[in-house]
């Protein structure tokens, strides 16, 4: 009987600490693509040159391989314990000028990954210096 209770206890302990255990795996939000804010999308208007669009939005994530007149700015946020948020701006050019802008997704609010602090290092003295990864520069440098 004592041997049976040890086997059951050992089996239960191994089950709890195995890969299929009760304890979950750490996950984090995964953002991919071009970060396009509503303010950036609102500044686009027909008649802009390609260079003006690049200055405002950055390089497109996708250029149509057989049609150089279409650029796509795609943003995807795969939330760790939630759903997937996708946004896409499709810009169509006529020659060197922007002809149309198509919105796919919810551009009414900033992406969920942008915190209240914003993107990049802060200029305010009450916040520690850092970058997008929230890494502080070393004191020796």
């Amino acid at each position: 009987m004592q041997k049976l209770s040890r086997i059951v206890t050992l089996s239960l302990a191994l089950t709890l600490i195995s890969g299929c255990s009760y304890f979950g795996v750490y996950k984090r939000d995964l953002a991919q693509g071009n970060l396009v804010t509503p303010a950036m999308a609102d500044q686009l208007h027909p008649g802009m040159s390609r260079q003006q669009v690049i200055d405002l939005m950055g390089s497109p994530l996708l250029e149509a391989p057989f049609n150089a007149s279409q650029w796509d700015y795609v943003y995807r946020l795969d939330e760790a314990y939630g759903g997937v948020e996708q946004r896409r701006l499709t810009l169509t050019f006529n020659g060197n000028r922007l002809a149309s802008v198509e919105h796919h997704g919810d551009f009414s609010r900033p992406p969920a990954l942008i915190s209240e602090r914003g993107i990049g290092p802060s200029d305010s003295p009450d916040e520690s210096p850092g970058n997008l990864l929230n890494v502080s520069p070393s004191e020796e440098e």
Side-chain angles (χ1 to χ4, degrees):
M1 184 67 179
Q2 193 176 28
K3 192 173 187 178
L4 179 63
S5 65
R6 285 183 185 173
I7 291 174
V8 169
T9 304
L10 180 63
S11 298
L12 183 62
L14 288 175
T15 302
L16 287 176
I17 62 172
S18 69
C20 300
S21 71
Y22 170 77
F23 304 105
V25 177
Y26 172 75
K27 290 183 175 181
R28 58 183 294 187
D29 293 343
L30 178 62
Q32 296 176 315
N34 298 96
L35 182 61
V36 179
T37 63
M40 293 167 68
D42 290 342
Q43 292 180 32
L44 291 171
H45 56 84
M48 294 177 75
S49 70
R50 290 178 188 252
Q51 189 59 47
Q52 288 174 321
V53 172
I54 289 175
D55 291 343
L56 175 65
M57 306 287 292
S59 298
L61 184 66
L62 300 170
E63 286 186 52
F66 301 111
N67 185 5
S69 66
Q70 184 173 329
W71 289 357
D72 289 308
Y73 290 86
V74 180
Y75 176 75
R76 177 184 164 98
L77 175 63
D78 187 1
E79 296 175 356
Y81 299 101
V84 175
E85 176 185 345
Q86 290 184 325
R87 298 175 184 204
R88 180 179 181 160
L89 270 179
T90 301
L91 308 180
T92 306
F93 291 89
N94 187 3
N96 192 33
R97 297 292 173 188
L98 182 61
S100 68
V101 178
E102 293 179 40
H103 296 76
H104 305 278
D106 183 16
F107 281 90
S108 64
R109 57 182 175 74
L113 199 57
I114 298 177
S115 66
E116 293 175 9
R117 186 185 91 157
I119 301 172
S122 173
D123 292 334
S124 65
D126 55 333
E127 289 188 28
S128 62
N131 55 23
L132 283 174
L133 300 174
N134 210 12
V135 177
S136 298
S138 67
E139 311 244 332
E140 300 94 30
E141 296 178 16

